[in-house]
């Protein structure tokens, strides 16, 4: 038995194809990204080694910091919206009729491609004929804004479809966790005279704390690397007002052919994401995890 | 709780449901309208005449090719991912070797990587082996980038399989390959169907890799194809709506038929992270 199940050739045959693929297509490119960052390179011609110049330029690049700020704002809004999603899940999980159907309806936007979502919301936001302004005008607003063309508003306008897209995802996760809270504990609290709000805050919330922490990490890290929808909806514009880190990197490489500088930004994006992941995990870790 | 409380809760949940679903219904409605009706009528109104021609027009306009590309690229990548992930997970969880935990760790690190950090080097690597503007670059990338999450969903299932299955198979003189393909793999069918759905949602909707690696129209998938398409029908909102609805249909159909698998997959893939 043990001899057969520890045959090195068979193990290699089963693990190596997958390992090679992630090695060649995930890990080597990440290392190369840091290396390309040390080069002056337009993507076609010769690479020229310039040391840390790209990285120093990135740190002094106001556009990069603007895009980082926008990514950070998205992370903050996403994290705050978790409170709303959690509240909705609490209501859904409190044995009300139709919870299953509602939860599935909430999830539908999550299934759509970013391009379809982007095109749909471009139409919703259309200043003259879009659904949003038509409704606003119908209820009496004279001059509703041009949502995606106004640099003061565009960033917040674009957050709406992003939060819309992920609402069902987080509600589903919380709902699944809440369904695992043992009924006996809640019953006991109810007999002791706890109100529904007290049960939610004092009993259910602490019991699903682990899942809440995971979603905080997901929301923050996901926001830092967010790209698709912003790229399609505004391309980071107008004038960089909705640029995020990943869209700025993509533009540098594939629109302005500054592959060296783009790679440096890409590598910084990786470093920032990893550091933030570690910090958020540390901040949310605690030893007296409640067991049930 | 009293009746007023319940009514209030249902109103709140209903508002959220409308917010989540109404933009999609609006899209469906305007895919069947003429520009005139979209621009002059109420966004809530049903179409006066149901213009199914909008669908015929965009299908004949060439979206069928993008659709076909999406189907085969998505399907092939799912098969590769499911097979390779199953084999690797089998070796890591069921076979005895020293580096299993370390190798598993490598796969799990893959979950934290922002794909955009890898895209410039990937582009350059594919360029040097002549895979740029070749659909195989997409199939390979989807397979690699879906392996970590797929293995994470598989892990829990493989850990719970009873050891006796393997013991009995080996005593009966069964080879490891036969045991894996004939006994273990079929046993993982329930979790494999979850994996197929999760991978399908990801592959069908993926944008940035196709947008970067593919330039010829003949190899584009639906997500990137509809971008061009929309440029072509810039002002024809009915045609744009029809294009978008066509791109949503397969995923919506899969969701309606397998919604419990989708729900399982999404919650298990997220919470265990």
């Amino acid at each position: 038995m043990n001899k057969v199940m520890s045959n090195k050739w068979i193990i290699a045959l089963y693990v190596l194809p997958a390992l090679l693929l992630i090695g060649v297509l995930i890990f080597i490119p990440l290392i190369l990204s840091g290396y390309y960052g040390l080069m002056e390179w337009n993507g076609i011609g010769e690479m020229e080694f310039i040391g840390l110049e790209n990285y120093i330029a990135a740190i002094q690049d106001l556009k990069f910091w603007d895009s980082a700020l926008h990514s950070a704002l998205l992370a903050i809004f996403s994290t705050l919206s978790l409170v709303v999603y959690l509240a909705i899940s609490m209501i859904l999980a409190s044995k009300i009729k139709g919870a299953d159907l509602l939860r599935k309806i909430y999830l539908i936007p999550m299934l759509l491609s970013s391009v379809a979502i982007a095109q749909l919301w471009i139409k919703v936001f259309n200043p003259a004929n879009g659904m949003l302004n038509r409704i606003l005008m119908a209820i009496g607003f004279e001059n509703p804004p041009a949502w995606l063309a106004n640099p003061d508003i565009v960033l917040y306008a674009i957050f709406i479809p992003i939060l819309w897209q992920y609402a069902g995802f987080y509600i589903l996760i919380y709902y699944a966790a809440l369904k695992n809270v043992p009924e006996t504990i809640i019953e006991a609290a109810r007999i002791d005279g706890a109100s529904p709000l007290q049960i939610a805050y004092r009993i259910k919330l602490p019991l699903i704390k682990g899942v809440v922490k995971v979603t905080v990490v997901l929301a923050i890290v996901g926001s830092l690397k967010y790209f698709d929808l912003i790229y399609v909806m505004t391309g980071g514009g107008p004038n960089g007002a909705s640029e995020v880190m990943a869209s700025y990197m993509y533009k540098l490489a594939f629109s302005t052919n500054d592959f060296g500088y783009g790679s440096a930004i890409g590598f910084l994006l990786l470093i920032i994401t990893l550091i933030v992941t570690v910090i958020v995990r540390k901040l949310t870790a605690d030893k007296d995890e409640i067991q049930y | 709780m009293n009746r007023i409380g319940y009514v209030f809760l249902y109103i709140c949940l209903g508002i959220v449901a409308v917010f989540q679903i109404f933009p999609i219904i609006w899209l469906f409605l305007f895919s069947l309208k003429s520009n005139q009706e979209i621009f002059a009528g109420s966004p809530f109104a049903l179409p006066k005449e149901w213009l199914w021609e909008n669908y015929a027009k965009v299908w004949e306009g060439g979206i069928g090719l993008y659709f076909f590309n999406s189907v085969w690229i998505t399907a092939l990548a799912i098969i590769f991912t499911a097979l390779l992930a199953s084999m690797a997970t089998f070796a890591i969880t069921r076979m005895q070797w020293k580096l299993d935990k370390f190798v598993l760790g490598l796969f799990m690190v893959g979950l934290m990587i922002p794909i955009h950090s890898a895209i410039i080097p990937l582009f350059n690597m594919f360029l040097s082996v002549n895979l740029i503007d070749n659909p195989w670059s997409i199939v390979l990338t989807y397979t690699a980038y879906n392996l970590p999450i797929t293995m994470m969903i598989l892990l829990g299932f493989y850990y719970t399989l009873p050891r006796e299955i393997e013991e009995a198979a080996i005593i009966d003189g069964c080879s490891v390959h036969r045991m894996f393909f004939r006994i273990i793999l079929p046993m993982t069918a329930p979790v494999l169907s979850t994996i197929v759905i999760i991978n399908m949602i990801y592959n069908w909707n993926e944008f940035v890799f196709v947008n970067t690696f593919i330039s010829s129209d003949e190899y584009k998938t639906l997500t990137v194809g509809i971008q061009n398409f929309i440029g072509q029908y810039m002002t024809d909102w009915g045609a744009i709506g029809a294009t978008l609805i066509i791109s949503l249909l397969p995923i919506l159909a899969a969701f309606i038929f397998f919604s419990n698998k989708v729900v399982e997959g999404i919650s298990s893939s997220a919470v265990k992270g």
Side-chain angles (χ1 to χ4, degrees), chain A residues 35-258:
Chain A
Y35 170 73
Y36 290 169
L38 303 170
M39 304 288 156
E40 163 99 52
W41 179 39
N42 64 8
I44 313 160
E46 289 288 303
M47 290 187 198
E48 188 196 335
F49 182 82
I50 54 167
L52 287 174
E53 254 178 60
N54 282 328
Y55 291 96
I56 293 164
I59 288 167
Q60 295 167 340
D61 182 352
L62 288 180
K63 279 188 182 163
F64 172 65
W65 288 112
D66 271 345
S67 70
L69 174 71
H70 298 156
S71 296
L73 279 174
L74 176 59
I76 292 168
F77 275 87
S78 305
T79 310
L80 289 178
S81 62
L82 293 180
V83 179
V84 179
Y85 304 150
L86 186 59
I88 294 171
S89 321
M90 290 270 189
I91 301 174
L92 278 183
S94 61
K95 282 200 209 151
I96 62 161
K97 278 193 194 128
D100 205 47
L101 178 69
L102 283 167
R103 186 184 56 143
K104 282 172 185 163
I105 290 176
Y106 297 160
L107 192 64
I108 289 177
M110 175 80 197
L111 308 172
L112 313 185
S113 75
S114 300
V115 175
I117 292 176
Q119 290 298 344
L120 166 60
W121 282 84
I122 288 172
K123 297 284 175 279
V124 172
F125 283 130
N126 185 295
N129 304 311
M131 184 172 74
L132 182 59
N133 280 2
R134 297 287 297 278
I135 294 172
L136 286 177
M137 282 189 279
I139 58 173
F141 283 90
E142 303 263 307
N143 282 314
W147 299 94
L148 300 179
N150 183 335
D152 297 329
I153 311 178
V154 61
L155 189 67
Y156 303 99
I158 226 168
F159 286 169
I160 295 170
I162 298 176
L163 300 182
W164 178 79
Q165 180 180 15
Y166 285 99
F169 171 73
Y170 290 111
I171 290 173
L172 170 66
I173 295 173
Y174 291 144
Y175 181 84
L178 286 165
K179 278 285 155 195
N180 281 329
V181 172
E183 199 52 44
T184 46
I185 300 181
I186 296 164
E187 218 27 68
R190 204 170 284 145
I191 290 165
D192 288 345
S195 72
L197 276 181
Q198 280 174 321
I199 292 176
Y201 187 70
R202 295 278 173 89
I203 296 176
K204 290 182 180 171
L205 188 61
L207 284 173
I208 64 160
K209 207 158 75 178
V211 172
V212 174
K213 286 170 183 174
V214 172
T215 57
V216 170
V217 177
L218 283 177
I220 293 176
V221 175
S223 302
L224 293 184
K225 46 190 190 187
Y226 202 82
F227 172 78
D228 292 15
L229 206 136
I230 291 175
Y231 178 78
V232 180
M233 277 182 84
T234 63
N239 199 16
S242 61
E243 200 84 85
V244 290
M245 286 191 286
S247 67
Y248 187 50
M249 178 229 84
Y250 198 82
K251 188 179 282 177
L252 285 170
F254 297 102
S255 305
T256 57
N257 288 331
D258 202 343

Side-chain angles (χ1 to χ4, degrees), chain B residues 81-256:
Chain B
T81 310
L83 184 66
L84 294 184
S86 294
M87 289 169 70
T89 312
F90 171 74
I92 287 171
T93 57
R94 311 302 290 185
M95 300 189 72
Q96 279 96 44
W97 44 301
K98 280 189 188 130
L99 288 173
D100 57 348
K101 287 276 165 340
F102 172 73
V103 169
L104 180 63
L106 283 180
F107 281 104
M108 294 302 113
V109 168
L111 290 170
M112 298 196 295
I113 302 303
I115 57 172
H116 308 101
S117 299
I119 203 157
I120 297 172
L122 265 178
F123 179 82
N124 198 39
M125 284 162 66
F126 283 131
L127 195 64
S128 65
V129 292
N130 268 328
L131 280 178
I132 285 298
D133 205 22
N134 181 324
W136 283 98
S137 60
I138 302 299
V139 175
L140 286 173
T141 318
Y142 287 0
T143 307
Y145 279 80
N146 283 344
L147 278 173
I149 187 90
T150 305
M151 287 177 61
M152 199 173 73
I153 301 174
L154 281 171
L155 272 179
F157 198 87
Y158 270 85
Y159 277 127
T160 57
L161 288 177
R163 288 270 166 212
E164 286 76 21
I165 300 168
E166 284 139 15
E167 278 163 22
I170 285 170
I171 290 167
D172 287 350
C174 184
S175 75
V176 174
H177 308 302
R178 213 180 142 84
M179 179 213 303
F180 174 72
F181 283 104
R182 289 291 175 83
I183 303 170
I184 305 279
L185 201 58
M187 286 180 72
T188 63
V191 71
L192 279 179
S193 59
T194 304
I195 278 169
V196 167
I197 304 273
I198 293 294
N199 274 277
M200 176 180 169
I201 295 172
Y202 175 82
N203 293 352
W204 187 268
N205 290 335
E206 202 282 325
F207 170 72
V208 70
F209 287 132
V210 182
N211 191 50
T212 313
F213 299 158
I214 301 293
S215 50
S216 313
D217 268 340
E218 55 178 319
Y219 300 130
K220 278 181 181 155
T221 60
L222 206 47
T223 10
V224 175
I226 56 177
Q227 268 304 91
N228 301 12
F229 223 66
I230 279 163
Q232 189 180 325
Y233 288 107
M234 193 69 98
T235 51
D236 187 346
W237 282 37
I240 292 170
T243 308
L244 294 175
I245 290 289
I246 290 174
S247 80
L248 314 181
L249 279 180
I251 293 290
L252 279 182
F255 181 60
I256 289 164

